[in-house]
Amino acid sequence: ADYDKGGGGMDTNSLTILVAKATVGFGGVLAIASQVLRRIFQIVASYGSSQTFVAASLLVACGMGIVAEDLGLSATTGAFAAGVLLAESGYRAQIEADIKPFEGILLGVFFVTAGASLDPQTVITEWPTLLAGIAAFIAIKFSVIFSAGEFALGLSRADAARVGLLL
C-alpha cells in the first residue's frame, strides 16, 4: 500500500496505525466475512445458476479490495483474502468450475495491472537494493528447499541441491 505519499517516509505513529488497521481491522473483516459468506453462498447455491456463483465471487473479490483500500492496504491484498475466503467457503469446487472460463482473462488483468504499476525509474535507482533482495530471497529459498529435501524428503545431497537450484 502507499505509505510514502509525502516523500518523507513513514513515522512510527503512522506505521502503528497501519499495523493496527491491518491486523485488527482486516482480521475482523475476515472473521465476519467468513461467517457471512457461508450464508450468502447457501442462498446462491439454492438458485443453482453458474452465473450467480460467478457474480457473487467477483462481488466478494471487489468488495474485499475496497475494504482493504479503505483500511490503508492494497486492493490486491483484499482480493487475495477474498480468494482465501472463497476457497474455504465450502463451495470451492463449484466456484472453480464456474470461474474456469474466465481464468485467462482474470490472470491477464492481474499481470497487466501489476506490470503497469512498475516504475522503471525506481528500478533503476534502487537496483543495488533490488539485486540484494533477489539474491537473499534465492539463497534463503535454496537453503530451505535443500534442507527439507535432504532431511524431510530423504533425498540425497546431490538431488536436494539440484531441486533447490531448479526451484
Side-chain angles (χ1 to χ4, degrees), residues 5-22:
K5 292 181 181 173
M10 180 175 255
D11 63 348
T12 307
N13 246 358
S14 299
L15 183 61
T16 304
I17 291 170
L18 181 63
V19 169
K21 284 181 181 180

PDB file of all heavy atoms in Angstrom, residues 5-22:
ATOM      1  N   LYS A   5       3.401   8.971   0.611  1.00  0.00           N
ATOM      2  CA  LYS A   5       2.809   9.916  -0.331  1.00  0.00           C
ATOM      3  C   LYS A   5       3.446  11.298  -0.215  1.00  0.00           C
ATOM      4  O   LYS A   5       3.503  12.031  -1.179  1.00  0.00           O
ATOM      5  CB  LYS A   5       1.304  10.003  -0.111  1.00  0.00           C
ATOM      6  CG  LYS A   5       0.609   8.718  -0.486  1.00  0.00           C
ATOM      7  CD  LYS A   5      -0.869   8.817  -0.296  1.00  0.00           C
ATOM      8  CE  LYS A   5      -1.496   7.484  -0.669  1.00  0.00           C
ATOM      9  NZ  LYS A   5      -2.891   7.410  -0.377  1.00  0.00           N
ATOM     10  N   GLY A   6       3.918  11.657   0.950  1.00  0.00           N
ATOM     11  CA  GLY A   6       4.510  12.973   1.126  1.00  0.00           C
ATOM     12  C   GLY A   6       5.989  13.013   0.806  1.00  0.00           C
ATOM     13  O   GLY A   6       6.590  14.065   0.769  1.00  0.00           O
ATOM     14  N   GLY A   7       6.621  11.902   0.591  1.00  0.00           N
ATOM     15  CA  GLY A   7       8.035  11.856   0.257  1.00  0.00           C
ATOM     16  C   GLY A   7       8.952  11.841   1.458  1.00  0.00           C
ATOM     17  O   GLY A   7      10.151  11.750   1.314  1.00  0.00           O
ATOM     18  N   GLY A   8       8.416  11.904   2.656  1.00  0.00           N
ATOM     19  CA  GLY A   8       9.256  11.979   3.835  1.00  0.00           C
ATOM     20  C   GLY A   8       9.358  10.685   4.612  1.00  0.00           C
ATOM     21  O   GLY A   8       9.880  10.670   5.707  1.00  0.00           O
ATOM     22  N   GLY A   9       8.849   9.598   4.096  1.00  0.00           N
ATOM     23  CA  GLY A   9       8.898   8.342   4.818  1.00  0.00           C
ATOM     24  C   GLY A   9       7.695   8.208   5.743  1.00  0.00           C
ATOM     25  O   GLY A   9       6.792   9.026   5.753  1.00  0.00           O
ATOM     26  N   MET A  10       7.709   7.172   6.538  1.00  0.00           N
ATOM     27  CA  MET A  10       6.582   6.911   7.426  1.00  0.00           C
ATOM     28  C   MET A  10       7.059   7.011   8.863  1.00  0.00           C
ATOM     29  O   MET A  10       8.042   6.390   9.228  1.00  0.00           O
ATOM     30  CB  MET A  10       6.022   5.524   7.130  1.00  0.00           C
ATOM     31  CG  MET A  10       4.846   5.148   7.993  1.00  0.00           C
ATOM     32  SD  MET A  10       4.138   3.591   7.503  1.00  0.00           S
ATOM     33  CE  MET A  10       2.684   4.163   6.687  1.00  0.00           C
ATOM     34  N   ASP A  11       6.352   7.797   9.668  1.00  0.00           N
ATOM     35  CA  ASP A  11       6.723   7.912  11.068  1.00  0.00           C
ATOM     36  C   ASP A  11       6.160   6.733  11.860  1.00  0.00           C
ATOM     37  O   ASP A  11       5.336   5.967  11.374  1.00  0.00           O
ATOM     38  CB  ASP A  11       6.267   9.255  11.648  1.00  0.00           C
ATOM     39  CG  ASP A  11       4.759   9.428  11.635  1.00  0.00           C
ATOM     40  OD1 ASP A  11       4.075   8.630  10.977  1.00  0.00           O
ATOM     41  OD2 ASP A  11       4.280  10.370  12.275  1.00  0.00           O
ATOM     42  N   THR A  12       6.589   6.608  13.091  1.00  0.00           N
ATOM     43  CA  THR A  12       6.213   5.471  13.923  1.00  0.00           C
ATOM     44  C   THR A  12       4.719   5.445  14.204  1.00  0.00           C
ATOM     45  O   THR A  12       4.105   4.379  14.200  1.00  0.00           O
ATOM     46  CB  THR A  12       6.989   5.526  15.256  1.00  0.00           C
ATOM     47  OG1 THR A  12       8.373   5.646  14.966  1.00  0.00           O
ATOM     48  CG2 THR A  12       6.761   4.289  16.079  1.00  0.00           C
ATOM     49  N   ASN A  13       4.118   6.605  14.404  1.00  0.00           N
ATOM     50  CA  ASN A  13       2.684   6.666  14.661  1.00  0.00           C
ATOM     51  C   ASN A  13       1.883   6.134  13.477  1.00  0.00           C
ATOM     52  O   ASN A  13       0.955   5.351  13.655  1.00  0.00           O
ATOM     53  CB  ASN A  13       2.261   8.105  14.945  1.00  0.00           C
ATOM     54  CG  ASN A  13       1.789   8.292  16.356  1.00  0.00           C
ATOM     55  OD1 ASN A  13       1.729   7.351  17.127  1.00  0.00           O
ATOM     56  ND2 ASN A  13       1.459   9.527  16.687  1.00  0.00           N
ATOM     57  N   SER A  14       2.229   6.587  12.283  1.00  0.00           N
ATOM     58  CA  SER A  14       1.515   6.145  11.078  1.00  0.00           C
ATOM     59  C   SER A  14       1.691   4.653  10.862  1.00  0.00           C
ATOM     60  O   SER A  14       0.748   3.955  10.473  1.00  0.00           O
ATOM     61  CB  SER A  14       2.018   6.896   9.853  1.00  0.00           C
ATOM     62  OG  SER A  14       1.789   8.268   9.988  1.00  0.00           O
ATOM     63  N   LEU A  15       2.892   4.161  11.119  1.00  0.00           N
ATOM     64  CA  LEU A  15       3.154   2.733  10.962  1.00  0.00           C
ATOM     65  C   LEU A  15       2.347   1.919  11.974  1.00  0.00           C
ATOM     66  O   LEU A  15       1.775   0.892  11.634  1.00  0.00           O
ATOM     67  CB  LEU A  15       4.648   2.445  11.113  1.00  0.00           C
ATOM     68  CG  LEU A  15       5.077   1.005  10.902  1.00  0.00           C
ATOM     69  CD1 LEU A  15       4.745   0.555   9.480  1.00  0.00           C
ATOM     70  CD2 LEU A  15       6.547   0.842  11.172  1.00  0.00           C
ATOM     71  N   THR A  16       2.266   2.399  13.203  1.00  0.00           N
ATOM     72  CA  THR A  16       1.486   1.717  14.239  1.00  0.00           C
ATOM     73  C   THR A  16       0.015   1.661  13.859  1.00  0.00           C
ATOM     74  O   THR A  16      -0.641   0.621  14.008  1.00  0.00           O
ATOM     75  CB  THR A  16       1.664   2.424  15.593  1.00  0.00           C
ATOM     76  OG1 THR A  16       3.047   2.482  15.910  1.00  0.00           O
ATOM     77  CG2 THR A  16       0.912   1.703  16.690  1.00  0.00           C
ATOM     78  N   ILE A  17      -0.512   2.769  13.360  1.00  0.00           N
ATOM     79  CA  ILE A  17      -1.918   2.807  12.947  1.00  0.00           C
ATOM     80  C   ILE A  17      -2.157   1.856  11.780  1.00  0.00           C
ATOM     81  O   ILE A  17      -3.151   1.125  11.757  1.00  0.00           O
ATOM     82  CB  ILE A  17      -2.334   4.250  12.592  1.00  0.00           C
ATOM     83  CG1 ILE A  17      -2.362   5.102  13.864  1.00  0.00           C
ATOM     84  CG2 ILE A  17      -3.679   4.279  11.879  1.00  0.00           C
ATOM     85  CD1 ILE A  17      -2.523   6.585  13.622  1.00  0.00           C
ATOM     86  N   LEU A  18      -1.241   1.836  10.814  1.00  0.00           N
ATOM     87  CA  LEU A  18      -1.383   0.935   9.668  1.00  0.00           C
ATOM     88  C   LEU A  18      -1.349  -0.527  10.107  1.00  0.00           C
ATOM     89  O   LEU A  18      -2.161  -1.336   9.659  1.00  0.00           O
ATOM     90  CB  LEU A  18      -0.291   1.194   8.634  1.00  0.00           C
ATOM     91  CG  LEU A  18      -0.332   0.333   7.382  1.00  0.00           C
ATOM     92  CD1 LEU A  18      -1.615   0.591   6.596  1.00  0.00           C
ATOM     93  CD2 LEU A  18       0.874   0.603   6.511  1.00  0.00           C
ATOM     94  N   VAL A  19      -0.445  -0.867  11.017  1.00  0.00           N
ATOM     95  CA  VAL A  19      -0.362  -2.244  11.514  1.00  0.00           C
ATOM     96  C   VAL A  19      -1.629  -2.615  12.276  1.00  0.00           C
ATOM     97  O   VAL A  19      -2.157  -3.720  12.120  1.00  0.00           O
ATOM     98  CB  VAL A  19       0.902  -2.431  12.386  1.00  0.00           C
ATOM     99  CG1 VAL A  19       0.870  -3.750  13.128  1.00  0.00           C
ATOM    100  CG2 VAL A  19       2.154  -2.348  11.532  1.00  0.00           C
ATOM    101  N   ALA A  20      -2.148  -1.696  13.072  1.00  0.00           N
ATOM    102  CA  ALA A  20      -3.382  -1.966  13.813  1.00  0.00           C
ATOM    103  C   ALA A  20      -4.549  -2.169  12.862  1.00  0.00           C
ATOM    104  O   ALA A  20      -5.355  -3.092  13.039  1.00  0.00           O
ATOM    105  CB  ALA A  20      -3.676  -0.820  14.775  1.00  0.00           C
ATOM    106  N   LYS A  21      -4.642  -1.322  11.839  1.00  0.00           N
ATOM    107  CA  LYS A  21      -5.707  -1.488  10.847  1.00  0.00           C
ATOM    108  C   LYS A  21      -5.580  -2.826  10.140  1.00  0.00           C
ATOM    109  O   LYS A  21      -6.575  -3.517   9.919  1.00  0.00           O
ATOM    110  CB  LYS A  21      -5.647  -0.375   9.805  1.00  0.00           C
ATOM    111  CG  LYS A  21      -6.168   0.946  10.254  1.00  0.00           C
ATOM    112  CD  LYS A  21      -6.061   1.917   9.094  1.00  0.00           C
ATOM    113  CE  LYS A  21      -6.536   3.290   9.435  1.00  0.00           C
ATOM    114  NZ  LYS A  21      -6.411   4.200   8.277  1.00  0.00           N
ATOM    115  N   ALA A  22      -4.354  -3.181   9.787  1.00  0.00           N
ATOM    116  CA  ALA A  22      -4.135  -4.413   9.036  1.00  0.00           C
ATOM    117  C   ALA A  22      -4.467  -5.640   9.872  1.00  0.00           C
ATOM    118  O   ALA A  22      -5.088  -6.580   9.375  1.00  0.00           O
ATOM    119  CB  ALA A  22      -2.691  -4.487   8.550  1.00  0.00           C
TER     120      ALA A  22
END
